[in-house]
Amino acid sequence: MMIAKTKNELMKLKVILPVCFVITVLILAFISCSSDSTSDGEAEDDDDIVVTELHAAFEDFDTDNTDIYLDGSNVVIETNGLPNHTTPYWGEGNALYVEPTVATGLTPSLIPNYDGSNTLRVSSSPNLANTSTSTNMGAIGISVSGAAIFNDQEANGALDDAIVSLDYTGGHIGPAEYHYHLEPTAFSEDDENLIGILADGFFIYGRKCNSTGDYPTDLDASGGHTAATQHTTEAEYHYHIENELYLNAYYIIFPGDYQGTPSSIN
């Protein structure tokens, strides 16, 4: 009887052991899959962070001349390219026309005769690049007025020869859109006001810093630093207009390189 019983128990073990093995494998596979799913899910969450609100600085942009909205992780800035202030370049008869007070050599071009519309798409959370990038001819940014921002060059040369064509707020037309080279005194003069956004996604402010109320002393080669602004509660990287006189009378908006990765403006 003992031998028979032992045989029966052995038969049962032969049946139970494979079943247990299969169950164990299934449990381990389930745990492994669950772990992979969680890991993948967390990775997707990290990669797909979506900003749901525009940066507060965009509230300073003229809503009649610009349309700004989020598109996934990017911000799209669409502008008609028109300045929202007076200038001789509007032409006589226009409500925003004023007699030239600074320019002695106005170009014959007029704002209503050109299409200055542009679109800029930048990251909603721009990062500093490993290396800087030189600015190009043409628009390098969009101002709060809606008009384009240019660098310190004109027709592939120095700005000196074009100074006589710049209006009281550092703007003129050439070759096909109204734009600023100098401190735009129509909306910022020796202050911390927002000037606009550059093609690498970083904002540019006036010559003073809101966090100190004075001229910043810790700027890098491009006139940028990390500090709080009137639009932030935490420090963030941004540029300032260069606080050095050009030709003993003017302040150039941006004579440096992009410190972020620039996008095209078209």
Side-chain angles (χ1 to χ4, degrees), residues 118 120 133-141 149-156 177 179-181 198-200 254-258 261-266:
N118 280 311
L120 172 61
T133 304
S134 299
T135 56
N136 56 285
M137 299 299 293
I140 65 169
I149 298 171
F150 276 35
N151 63 14
D152 60 340
Q153 302 294 304
E154 179 70 19
N156 295 315
E177 61 189 325
H179 58 269
Y180 310 105
H181 288 283
L198 297 190
D200 59 359
F254 194 70
D257 292 347
Y258 299 116
T261 303
S263 299
S264 59
I265 304 177
N266 47 48

Side-chain angles (χ1 to χ4, degrees), residues 50-180:
V50 178
V51 175
T52 58
E53 292 185 1
L54 286 169
H55 193 290
F58 287 115
E59 295 178 2
D60 286 10
F61 283 69
D62 188 302
T63 55
D64 291 328
N65 291 343
T66 62
D67 185 19
I68 304 172
Y69 56 91
L70 288 168
D71 182 14
S73 61
N74 294 320
V75 178
V76 180
I77 304 103
E78 297 177 348
T79 178
N80 57 21
L82 302 177
N84 60 0
H85 53 73
T86 60
T87 172
Y89 285 104
W90 278 109
E92 294 185 35
N94 190 286
L96 291 176
Y97 170 81
V98 291
E99 292 283 345
T101 57
V102 176
T104 59
L106 290 176
T107 65
S109 308
L110 296 177
I111 293 172
N113 296 335
Y114 290 90
D115 179 9
S117 60
N118 280 311
T119 298
L120 172 61
R121 179 184 294 267
V122 296
S123 170
S124 57
S125 301
N127 294 310
L128 292 170
N130 293 327
T131 58
S132 62
T133 304
S134 299
T135 56
N136 56 285
M137 299 299 293
I140 65 169
I142 297 174
S143 72
V144 295
S145 76
I149 298 171
F150 276 35
N151 63 14
D152 60 340
Q153 302 294 304
E154 179 70 19
N156 295 315
L159 190 58
D160 303 39
D161 294 339
I163 286 293
V164 294
S165 68
L166 298 177
D167 61 21
Y168 73 94
T169 189
H172 69 167
I173 298 179
E177 61 189 325
Y178 181 85
H179 58 269
Y180 310 105

